[in-house]
Amino acid sequence: MTSQTERSLVLVKPDGFRRGLTGEVLRRIEAKGYTLAALAVLTPTREQLAAHYAEHEGKPFYEPLVEFMSSGPIAAVVIEGQGCIPGFRSLAGATNPTDAAPGTIRGDLSRDWGTAVQQNIVHGSDSPESATREIGIWFPNL
Ligand code: DAT
Ligand code: MG
């Protein structure tokens, strides 16, 4: 890893995993040129989700978010490459799938299902500090 290389934590959320879209998400990451540094399939515990989503505790969508994220298996992925933190956020698109542009993961593959929490296929770290913290939650041995 060069000094400029960065890593980001990507989650294929239960909606994406359940719908068989993990391969499509990984395809877009690899087609962009980022590499996979770690990959795991697991059902998140509440403890992992409380740590991962600590910044959202107390918000109206927090409980539905934790409920949704623990509803089934996810794919946790560490990706690598210069600029991959903002780069993956661009690939993912806007948080709300209705607003996400066509061509993005959320714009192409999701929609508003009328649920209390947005089901938007993927999570991606939003800063180098978040990436380091989040990778430690999902891959403590990395
Ligand atoms: P992002 O996943 O784009 O970083 P976030 O960190 O603000 O977005 O929120 C975490 C997740 O919570 C997001 O992916 C979907 C859900 N969410 C965010 N804001 C919401 C809202 N106002 N109503 C319903 N769900 C929301
Ligand atoms: Mg976020």
Side-chain angles (χ1 to χ4, degrees), residues 13 53 55-56 61 65 89 95 106 116-118 120 123:
K13 298 181 179 185
Y53 283 124
E55 65 174 309
H56 295 307
F61 60 85
L65 177 60
R89 299 276 297 183
T95 302
R106 290 162 169 175
V117 70
Q118 285 151 7
N120 56 12
H123 165 84

Side-chain angles (χ1 to χ4, degrees), residues 17-18 28 54 64-65 68 89 98 120:
F17 189 90
R18 200 178 287 130
R28 290 176 184 226
L65 177 60
F68 162 60
R89 299 276 297 183
T98 299
N120 56 12

Side-chain angles (χ1 to χ4, degrees), residues 55-74:
E55 65 174 309
H56 295 307
E57 202 188 337
K59 294 182 185 172
F61 60 85
Y62 177 77
E63 274 303 324
L65 177 60
V66 171
E67 194 67 27
F68 162 60
M69 287 297 295
S70 57
S71 67
I74 66 166

Side-chain angles (χ1 to χ4, degrees), residues 28-50:
R28 290 176 184 226
I29 289 167
E30 292 194 308
K32 177 77 174 173
Y34 301 136
T35 55
L36 307 183
L39 181 59
V41 173
L42 67 148
T43 299
T45 65
R46 277 197 78 97
E47 290 68 31
Q48 286 171 315
L49 293 169

